[in-house]
Every structure is written in structure tokens, then in C-alpha cells.
Amino acid sequence: MFGWQRLFGSKENQIRGFMTDEELQNNAVKLKSFLDDAKTKWDLENPKPKSWYEKNKLYVTKATNFLILCTDGLIQLVQTFSAAGPDKKIAVLAVLTELFDYIATKAFPIWLSPFVPVIKQIVISVIISNLIEFIVAKYKEGAWNMEKKNEP
């Protein structure tokens, strides 16, 4: 099951009793289910193109939008977990890394494959990591619906 339990298995959480073994297992199942659903959705929305040129015309934009939507969905999912904040972020990054690998293997032509690890590092460690911080901050502030907040 990909060792999902390690994502939440930090010694601090176990010592403080934040998560039981049952919670760890339930969270792992939820994350695996989310990942499987995301892969299925990606495959359904992006049928196999006839050529690599056709594939790459809009593929990067679609992949980026898909990962952003998945990031938001995953954050909402892990917010229900009783894990510590850093463990939740690690869980989101782990799922999105696996999802990126799944999408990227189908995205890039063979001559770009040497650059996939560099692209992955930038996308996951820089862009998605900062996006998680941004989304979590917005949720905590309740700042998503500023127009509604300003209404009397």
C-alpha cells in the first residue's frame, strides 16, 4: 500500500497519541482512494492522442490545472486527519508526486525524458509546496470569498 502509514507515523504523533493505528490505516486508504480516483479521472479526461505533437500542445496546461485541482482536493481531505500540519503537507506532496509521475510518464516525448526529474523537482518541491502553503493560509483566513465577507 505504498507505505502511506509512514507519512503520518512521525514519533511525535505516536508519542502524543494524535493518531491510532486504525486512524493511520483509514487515512492511508483514503489517500490511496484519492490517488486512484485522480488517475482514473485523468485517463478519462485525456484520451490517448495519435501523436506526441498532438499530446503536447495543451498537455502541460491541462496537467498543471489538474494538479492544482488535486492539490486543493487533497488539502481538504487531509484537513480531516488528526495528524500534525507538517505530516499533512508531506502526505499531500507524496500523493501529488505519485500523480505527477503517472501524468508525466504519459506526457513527455522520449527526447524530453532526461529532463523529467528536474521538472518534477521544480513542480513538486517549489510550485506545489508553495501552493499548499498558500491554499492552507487562505482556508485558515477564510479569505476565499472576500466579496461575501464584505457584504453587510
Side-chain angles (χ1 to χ4, degrees), residues 6-66:
R6 287 180 298 177
L7 298 174
F8 302 106
S10 71
K11 299 260 188 248
E12 298 84 35
N13 280 349
Q14 291 173 353
I15 291 169
R16 293 183 195 151
F18 286 134
M19 297 183 70
T20 64
D21 287 341
E22 185 177 337
E23 285 177 304
L24 290 172
Q25 186 61 34
N26 288 340
N27 292 344
V29 168
K30 289 175 186 176
L31 290 171
K32 176 75 169 96
S33 176
F34 186 96
L35 179 62
D36 291 343
D37 291 347
K39 287 178 179 180
T40 301
K41 184 176 181 182
W42 176 259
D43 289 339
L44 291 173
E45 292 177 359
N46 299 285
K48 188 174 181 177
K50 295 178 175 87
S51 70
W52 71 266
Y53 175 75
E54 181 183 326
K55 179 189 327 187
N56 290 322
K57 281 197 291 188
L58 296 173
Y59 198 89
V60 172
T61 304
K62 284 182 177 181
T64 302
N65 288 336
F66 189 75

